[in-house]
Amino acid sequence: MKIVIANWKMNMLGREAAAFCEAFKADYTPKAGCEAGIAPPFTLLREVAVHAAGSGVKVFAQNAYFEPKGAFTGEISMGQLKDAGCHGVLLGHSERRHVFGESDENLVKKLKAAWEYELLPVLCIGETLTQRDAGFTLDVLHKQLEVLNATGPGPLVLAYEPVWAIGTGRVAEPMQIEEVHAFIHDELWRLWSDRGLEVPIQYGGSVTPDNFEGILKVPFVAGGLVGGASLDPAKFLKLVGQTQASL
Ligand code: 13P
């Protein structure tokens, strides 16, 4: 399975989201083996779920808390995401890790909670520029992937997003993506054997319709997690079309 997801981050208001969904739906034709998803901010989840209903587009949240309910002011539970019409949830995005201190320990709990509520988690991993320059890329990814050792297997999408390529316009070179995706593929096999090989591995970081075709040719790249370029329905449609064409 290949999958391309629009991560809107902290962008869009209600009327913009509705206009995006209508424009996207008008030209979107689903294709077997390829999923398209939108990850809007919490306030727009229901809005997007309603507009996307029947189109085949899946709705993802950008984060969630692992506790089912209670005194956790400002947090949202997996059950609440399900209730709002979500299909899945992004977990461990680098902005959550680096700006908000997301820990691997919490990610283990969040993955298990997502599965409990039958949400598809998209686990994001990636190294910083300092870590890459110091030659630690694969060690960092190995450590981030160890959460999957603690959880055991379950439905999952993995997103490799080098932190230095996010929102910078500096996309990773195909050789760099190839090295990392092959490594993640091997790690998934080591961790979950056959179940690991079912996990699609997305690339994310300054993806645009101009560079995505090349990225999709890299072995073990099974789609993308897209920020900036996904705010424009025409660009996102192109990215979905390119993913479908790469099947
Ligand atoms: P950009 O596509 O804006 O670089 O963002 C990538 C990203 O973080 C998607 O989750």
Side-chain angles (χ1 to χ4, degrees), residues 13 18 24 48 56-57 85 101 108 116 121-122 126 135 155 211 231 238 240 242:
L13 299 174
F24 183 80
V48 172
V57 179
V108 171
E116 219 167 286
V122 180
N211 58 34
L231 297 171
K238 269 197 193 149
V240 173
Q242 288 170 327

Side-chain angles (χ1 to χ4, degrees), residues 50-90:
V50 168
H51 279 276
S55 69
V57 179
K58 301 284 177 9
V59 183
F60 289 77
Q62 298 175 13
N63 183 35
Y65 198 50
F66 52 81
E67 291 289 356
K69 61 157 86 168
F72 302 103
T73 303
E75 293 297 324
I76 306 276
S77 72
M78 301 291 174
Q80 290 171 321
L81 296 185
K82 194 78 183 172
D83 184 53
C86 281
H87 173 78
V89 58
L90 311 186

